[in-house]
Amino acid sequence: MKIEYKNKNYEKKDIFQVGNVFEHDGAIYLVSRNVTPGECTKYFLVNLKYAALGSKMYESLDELAQARISVWSDSKAEIKLVKAKLIVDYKLDGGAEDEDAK
């Protein structure tokens, strides 16, 4: 994963948009959405540093932003929008991938 820090200052609430990647206190998060057709849409964070899903899902992006900002408000670490290049490398049959194969 390659991370590039943006030079522009963003409002914290604007950072919490689906697909955005941000850094807080050394951890990198992806803002994600799960849609169950005909039922509901939930929003959550994926911690890319530890490959872990957030422990809670939220009804709206505003609810997600308010919850995270209030939890992190005591921290001196900033919430910074970053540009991330993610490479997902997997093999569907569970075998090892041979990068040298042509």
Side-chain angles (χ1 to χ4, degrees):
M1 175 171 53
K2 295 181 182 178
I3 301 296
E4 177 184 319
Y5 291 89
K6 299 268 187 172
N7 293 326
K8 185 175 177 182
N9 290 326
Y10 289 87
E11 292 292 321
K12 288 181 183 174
K13 64 183 174 94
D14 294 334
I15 290 175
F16 292 89
Q17 300 297 321
V18 173
N20 278 357
V21 176
F22 66 91
E23 184 264 341
H24 176 264
D25 204 18
I28 306 293
Y29 298 94
L30 170 66
V31 181
S32 305
R33 172 180 62 206
N34 181 29
V35 177
T36 305
E39 291 184 31
C40 63
T41 300
K42 299 285 187 174
Y43 300 91
F44 59 99
L45 297 178
V46 177
N47 184 322
L48 298 175
K49 185 174 183 178
Y50 298 107
L53 295 177
S55 60
K56 184 164 186 205
M57 292 193 151
Y58 299 90
E59 300 289 326
S60 70
L61 286 169
D62 285 337
E63 184 183 354
L64 170 64
Q66 289 173 3
R68 293 292 87 205
I69 291 169
S70 69
V71 168
W72 291 336
S73 64
D74 292 337
S75 171
K76 293 183 180 185
E78 293 183 82
I79 300 172
K80 299 176 189 172
L81 187 66
V82 298
K83 181 179 176 183
K85 181 178 181 181
L86 305 175
I87 300 170
V88 179
D89 188 12
Y90 65 92
K91 193 148 176 79
L92 294 176
D93 63 5
E97 183 174 339
D98 182 4
E99 292 182 4
D100 296 326
K102 293 182 182 179

